Amino acid sequence: MDHDIEQACHDLLLRLAGRLPDGLLWRYRDWLGSGAVIAIARILPKSLLKQGIDVDKTEYDLMMAGLAPYGADHHAVSSALGVDGARPSRYTFSGSAPERMNNVDPVSDVIHAALRGRPDVGEVRQSWRYGGTGEDPEAKRVLLITALTGLPRLGAELQRVLRALGDEEPGVEVIAPESEVGEYHRAALANSTLLCAGAVEARHRVVAA
């Protein structure tokens, strides 16, 4: 797959985090990690319309760059372009694990073992997402990983690890250093804790501003 097309698809899905339902988002990321862009191109634009999700001009351009070459319906892509692409996030985040964890967290242990000192990986952070109420049953783990290369494949790999550990709709955000992230990721990063670090120097990080 062409690197620019892969990067456009990855950036698009990154921007849709918190807006596209988790059950759809992880599936599209899994497909991208496997190189199945044709499936994404055929289905994602229609999913956006069905979910009532508008995209902004930047996201529209990413769809044209990443999905149009693989057969995306141009009418569906154009129809998704709207004025509500940058709605405020309905989520809040916390760096503290919910009380039900009781200081036992095998997922963190596995992620630490898999990514600590790994080449091309920087900081590995974790946040807990709430649906606006802060109630424990709604707590969802969100991993935030800085990586230099192979972002879609790393994300898909970690999604499969989390699913094997019981998270059916894993939240794995793999972000290139110095990326421009939106409100969703800024809030998650600002309210996160460091799990471990790969081999990439600390200066290569996403700044939560």
Side-chain angles (χ1 to χ4, degrees), residues 3 38 41 57 59 98 109 188 209:
H3 177 267
I38 292 177
K57 182 60 166 59
E59 293 155 357
D109 293 339

Side-chain angles (χ1 to χ4, degrees), residues 29-173:
R29 286 174 166 168
D30 185 64
W31 289 349
L32 180 59
S34 302
V37 183
I38 292 177
I40 302 173
R42 290 177 176 174
I43 301 174
L44 176 56
K46 296 177 182 178
S47 292
L48 295 174
L49 295 176
K50 184 176 181 179
Q51 297 293 327
I53 300 172
D54 288 341
V55 300
D56 61 21
K57 182 60 166 59
T58 298
E59 293 155 357
Y60 170 82
D61 290 341
L62 290 171
M63 291 175 72
M64 292 302 296
L67 304 183
Y70 282 85
D73 184 292
H74 284 237
H75 176 72
V77 172
S78 298
S79 297
L81 180 61
V83 296
D84 297 323
R87 292 179 182 176
S89 175
R90 64 183 183 276
Y91 297 113
T92 58
F93 295 88
S94 173
S96 301
E99 293 183 2
R100 60 177 164 77
M101 301 298 295
N102 294 322
N103 297 320
V104 177
D105 186 7
V107 174
S108 293
D109 293 339
V110 171
I111 295 301
H112 185 280
L115 297 182
R116 183 174 180 271
R118 181 160 169 168
D120 291 331
V121 172
E123 290 189 341
V124 181
R125 307 189 70 86
Q126 176 174 267
S127 184
W128 293 90
R129 191 188 79 187
Y130 296 86
T133 64
E135 295 179 359
D136 191 356
E138 296 186 10
K140 177 178 178 61
R141 185 193 312 267
V142 177
L143 295 179
L144 303 135
I145 301 101
T146 305
L148 298 181
T149 62
L151 279 65
R153 286 174 291 284
L154 176 60
E157 172 192 336
L158 295 177
Q159 284 188 156
R160 294 179 193 125
V161 170
L162 264 61
R163 281 178 58 81
L165 294 171
D167 188 344
E168 295 185 357
E169 298 177 352
V172 179
E173 306 299 320

Side-chain angles (χ1 to χ4, degrees), residues 4-14 32 37 62 66-67:
D4 291 341
I5 290 177
E6 181 182 65
Q7 189 63 48
C9 291
H10 178 81
D11 290 348
L12 173 63
L13 294 176
L14 198 67
L32 180 59
V37 183
L62 290 171
L67 304 183

